[in-house]
Amino acid sequence: MKLSHILLTVLPLSQPASSLTTRQDTNSSLNLNYTLLSHRALDGLNTAFFNTTAQRWSPDDAWWLSAIALTNLLSYSISTNTTSYLPQITSVLEAQSKPLPWWPQGNGSFRADSTDDTGWYALALLSTYDLTHNSTYLSLTTTDEAYMSQYWLNTSCSGGLIQQIPSQSYKNAISNELYISLAAGLYLRTDDKNYLDKAVMAWDWFRESGMINQQDLVNDGLTSDCRNNNQTEWSYNQGVILGALVDLYHATGNSSYLSQAKTIADAAIAVSTSPLITTTDNSPSGTILTESCEHDGRCNNDQQAFKGIFAYNLGKLDREFDERPYRGVLTAWAETMWRYDKAVVQSDGVEGDLYDVSWAGPYGEASLGRQVSAGGLLVGLID
């Protein structure tokens, strides 16, 4: 469904918080209800972007973004103990499990031409198993792990997954981070120590690969001669490894994984937050999570999704500590986004919220990447 076919209203900068059902939250000045806001963001996601024929969101956009949209729905469903989105989730998975038109040799089951695309869907399948307890989804996840693991190549860089299967090239951060989380997640659900051994091996390789730089940030990948390529420190590369390290902690009980995650998280927040300048009573203040490509408005639709992946995994890490060290910054980002970066979309009696790429606003336009990013922040705040 195109945005031109629906009613879109950009809200004033200072909508009163009383228009939403609230709950007590000592870390939030607005006491926002993140269950309600997540539901409205998901309704916006579906109203503006879901294509019932293709059974995915924005079919012209990258396939992996529909896996992130699925993750938004799954995280909300698990956190709120609801199955209201389950028919849509299962329909999407059934449709997308078919052989991919651009990679039919993968024979379906989410086996794509890049290991990271497979990894995103494999993690969504694990969450679907958690929601449904249907072993079919766990079986599909093991199929995807086996597919990814065959592209772990010891012939270069002493190991690591390649990303680009057709060219057998590029050992990068995201594919290996997703694999660590996937293997650890499979161990947590099957008690098969083989998966734990793989997860630990993959993390040990990743830690020593050079992709984590001297500032404790993850660069995009390695050069052909196995050196850090010094490419952009995208926020999602900082985020996925946080989630993977939390999974490793639960799999092993070794708190050093949480310590490493906290080091990366603190470094990422320090370099990825931009100050907000107050010019009027209706302008935001404080700091906001900002992707490097936002500064000159050049984020493509993939990059528009990155911040929400970081925020979601930062929330996952935050819940591991009694003191909740990141709850304050996450709620501050969400409050700023809700105040200054929102439009209301309406269609066929359904009303939802849409968000733009800059969480400080002003709202300009919506896209799938922008929306799943906002959704990741919001669903990650549901307690």
Side-chain angles (χ1 to χ4, degrees):
M1 182 177 291
K2 300 294 186 182
L3 286 179
S4 58
H5 297 158
I6 56 184
L7 176 63
L8 184 66
T9 304
V10 180
L11 296 179
L13 288 180
S14 55
Q15 181 188 3
S18 59
S19 64
L20 296 176
T21 304
T22 62
R23 68 173 176 82
Q24 292 300 312
D25 185 338
T26 56
N27 291 311
S28 170
S29 60
L30 292 179
N31 293 326
L32 297 181
N33 183 327
Y34 292 107
T35 298
L36 174 60
L37 293 188
S38 295
H39 188 272
R40 289 183 61 88
L42 294 178
D43 282 348
L45 172 71
N46 282 331
T47 298
F49 302 110
F50 191 64
N51 184 298
T52 54
T53 301
Q55 283 297 300
R56 57 182 280 200
W57 292 264
S58 294
D60 291 336
D61 289 335
W63 185 59
W64 77 277
L65 288 174
S66 283
I68 307 304
L70 265 177
T71 300
N72 281 184
L73 265 65
L74 285 159
S75 299
Y76 175 86
S77 299
I78 292 168
S79 297
T80 61
N81 194 30
T82 182
T83 57
S84 60
Y85 289 109
L86 186 56
Q88 181 184 17
I89 291 167
T90 56
S91 293
V92 170
L93 288 172
E94 180 179 0
Q96 302 311 313
S97 68
K98 294 178 172 59
L100 299 171
W102 61 90
W103 190 244
Q105 53 267 58
N107 294 318
S109 298
F110 310 99
R111 291 172 290 193
D113 57 340
S114 60
T115 51
D116 54 333
D117 279 11
T118 295
W120 289 116
Y121 278 95
L123 290 180
L125 286 166
L126 273 185
S127 293
T128 309
Y129 171 70
D130 292 341
L131 179 64
T132 64
H133 307 293
N134 184 333
S135 62
T136 298
Y137 299 110
L138 188 61
S139 177
L140 277 169
T141 310
T142 63
T143 296
D144 289 339
E145 185 281 328
Y147 180 74
M148 293 176 71
S149 67
Q150 68 181 310
Y151 297 107
W152 180 278
L153 302 182
N154 290 316
T155 53
S156 64
C157 306
S158 302
L161 257 66
I162 59 167
Q163 180 201 29
Q164 299 166 9
I165 293 174
S167 62
Q168 299 281 292
S169 64
Y170 196 34
K171 293 188 174 179
N172 71 341
I174 194 60
S175 289
N176 286 279
E177 292 172 335
L178 289 166
Y179 184 72
I180 296 166
S181 189
L182 175 61
L186 278 169
Y187 170 72
L188 289 168
R189 292 161 179 85
T190 66
D191 289 324
D192 185 341
K193 191 173 180 297
N194 181 52
Y195 292 124
L196 178 58
D197 291 343
K198 288 182 176 182
V200 171
M201 175 192 70
W203 162 249
D204 288 345
W205 175 85
F206 187 87
R207 184 189 59 209
E208 299 299 325
S209 69
M211 275 188 280
I212 304 175
N213 62 35
Q214 293 183 345
Q215 289 72 48
D216 297 309
L217 296 168
V218 181
N219 290 100
D220 195 65
L222 301 177
T223 61
S224 58
D225 61 350
C226 304
R227 298 178 183 274
N228 185 317
N229 62 16
N230 293 312
Q231 290 184 16
T232 306
E233 298 151 344
W234 298 113
S235 63
Y236 84 146
N237 278 330
Q238 322 312 312
V240 174
I241 198 60
L242 301 185
L245 288 166
V246 169
D247 293 335
L248 274 174
Y249 164 69
H250 283 286
T252 65
N254 185 343
S255 61
S256 68
Y257 292 119
L258 291 184
S259 297
Q260 179 67 73
K262 199 169 186 303
T263 296
I264 294 171
D266 291 345
I269 291 170
V271 303
S272 300
T273 51
S274 299
L276 301 173
I277 301 173
T278 301
T279 56
T280 71
D281 289 342
N282 284 330
S283 294
S285 61
T287 60
I288 194 71
L289 183 64
T290 307
E291 201 71 54
S292 58
C293 56
E294 285 181 54
H295 296 296
D296 55 7
R298 57 184 173 83
C299 295
N300 64 33
N301 206 21
D302 286 354
Q303 294 158 1
Q304 290 163 10
F306 289 174
K307 289 191 303 185
I309 296 168
F310 173 75
Y312 176 80
N313 283 283
L314 184 65
K316 182 176 177 178
L317 175 62
D318 180 64
R319 289 188 288 275
E320 296 301 318
F321 299 94
D322 291 338
E323 65 273 24
R324 303 299 294 269
Y326 304 110
R327 180 75 182 188
V329 70
L330 286 164
T331 54
W333 295 342
E335 288 175 0
T336 299
M337 185 178 75
W338 178 75
R339 280 180 180 271
Y340 304 106
D341 182 37
K342 183 176 63 174
V344 173
V345 62
Q346 295 178 337
S347 179
D348 298 327
V350 176
E351 180 177 286
D353 296 333
L354 295 178
Y355 295 93
D356 203 342
V357 65
S358 174
W359 293 346
Y363 177 89
E365 61 179 320
S367 70
L368 178 58
R370 293 172 169 96
Q371 190 68 10
V372 296
S373 181
L377 170 60
L378 294 172
V379 298
L381 279 165
I382 299 174
D383 273 341

